[in-house]
Amino acid sequence: MPLIAPSLLTANFLRLEEACNMLNESEADWFHLDVMDGRFVPNISFGMSIIKQIRKTTTKVCDVHLMILEPEKYAEEFKAAGADILTVHFEACPHLHRNIQQIKSLGMQAGVAINPHTPVSFLKDILADIDIVLLMSVNPGFGAQKLIPHTIEKIKELRRMIEEKRLNVKIEIDGGVTLENAKAIVDAGADVLVAGNTVFGSADPKETIAQLKRI
Ligand code: DX5
Ligand code: ZN
């Protein structure tokens, strides 16, 4: 069974507590929290103060996806806000190894995200140091986009790399996950499905989460 990580990016922010309560009652495994800086990606979302509020509503894993430059400046604050997992972008970090060490030394699980154009082979020398690879299946910045089909090949290749090295690294897929394509994603080797629009755009979000879980 995949882990389900609904993204709150498309939730109604005037009713954030309701959205959090719904996720708590649902079979969602993680809260996926998308932080955007308007520099690494062409959009601005929310930061640590919102995450701190969300953290108060839940005991589920807070999976923070940083789409920001210079994440080292803020890692400590995200830890203080309640992040359990901190994921940084390969493309945003010239000193990625140092970023990963910092995240782990703060007591969080460390993730590395790659954009659709970045080959999974670029992760070869960091894979043993991390807990999660987040494969972007759309260009980061916005919810409700269509999954780029080539992602399926990338999942298979990454799964082979992880198995060859006998590592315990999770593969998380982010962007355009739907009830229609989720099975192909899981069959290719994904462990975690992020879903924003599919969950929050649904008439019955809890039921949609249950369906994704049983895909
Ligand atoms: C996009 C974010 C995603 C986004 C996913 O930059 O990283 O987490 O919220 O949304 P959907 O599932 O709607 O594509
Ligand atoms: Zn995300």
Side-chain angles (χ1 to χ4, degrees):
M1 260 191 202
L3 298 176
I4 308 301
S7 160
L8 281 151
L9 192 65
T10 28
N12 178 349
F13 273 70
L14 287 179
R15 297 178 168 220
L16 198 50
E17 194 173 10
E18 235 171 74
C20 293
N21 291 342
M22 179 280 289
L23 291 183
N24 283 328
E25 289 161 15
S26 79
E27 293 177 58
D29 298 280
W30 297 355
F31 280 32
H32 184 82
L33 303 165
D34 289 301
V35 178
M36 302 179 184
D37 65 354
R39 294 170 71 214
F40 179 64
V41 287
N43 196 6
I44 299 177
S45 58
F46 51 79
M48 31 289 208
S49 58
I50 298 274
I51 292 176
K52 207 170 168 182
Q53 302 294 323
I54 293 173
R55 171 83 276 176
K56 287 185 192 148
T57 73
T58 190
T59 55
K60 295 199 185 196
V61 170
C62 284
D63 170 34
V64 176
H65 176 193
L66 295 183
M67 285 160 273
I68 68 172
L69 299 178
E70 302 180 305
E72 62 278 1
K73 285 189 179 168
Y74 309 101
E76 236 178 290
E77 285 180 72
F78 282 108
K79 168 66 185 177
D84 299 299
I85 301 170
L86 203 62
T87 294
V88 295
H89 264 264
F90 178 88
E91 300 85 0
C93 298
H95 304 289
L96 184 61
H97 185 270
R98 185 180 289 151
N99 290 97
I100 297 304
Q101 300 313 315
Q102 181 197 25
I103 293 168
K104 293 207 291 197
S105 72
L106 288 167
M108 294 178 281
Q109 290 189 57
V112 171
I114 60 171
N115 280 340
H117 74 276
T118 302
V120 293
S121 60
F122 283 16
L123 297 169
K124 178 174 161 283
D125 293 327
I126 199 74
L127 210 49
D129 294 298
I130 62 181
D131 301 290
I132 293 147
V133 173
L134 186 156
L135 293 183
M136 283 306 310
S137 34
V138 299
N139 285 296
F142 303 93
Q145 302 180 73
K146 254 180 102 79
L147 178 127
I148 297 170
H150 177 59
T151 308
I152 301 293
E153 292 313 309
K154 291 177 80 171
I155 300 170
K156 290 181 188 165
E157 189 185 341
L158 180 58
R159 175 54 61 200
R160 277 196 297 274
M161 283 169 68
I162 292 170
E163 273 166 19
E164 266 165 28
K165 292 175 188 276
R166 296 171 197 275
L167 298 172
N168 185 19
V169 177
K170 287 189 171 62
I171 303 177
E172 179 172 13
I173 303 305
D174 189 3
V177 173
T178 64
L179 287 169
E180 289 71 39
N181 63 23
K183 186 172 179 346
I185 295 168
V186 172
D187 287 351
D191 304 291
V192 188
L193 302 177
V194 174
N197 192 49
T198 292
V199 168
F200 287 98
S202 144
D204 188 347
K206 258 190 255 174
E207 174 56 24
T208 302
I209 292 167
Q211 285 176 15
L212 282 169
K213 191 82 196 158
R214 275 167 198 75
I215 211 83

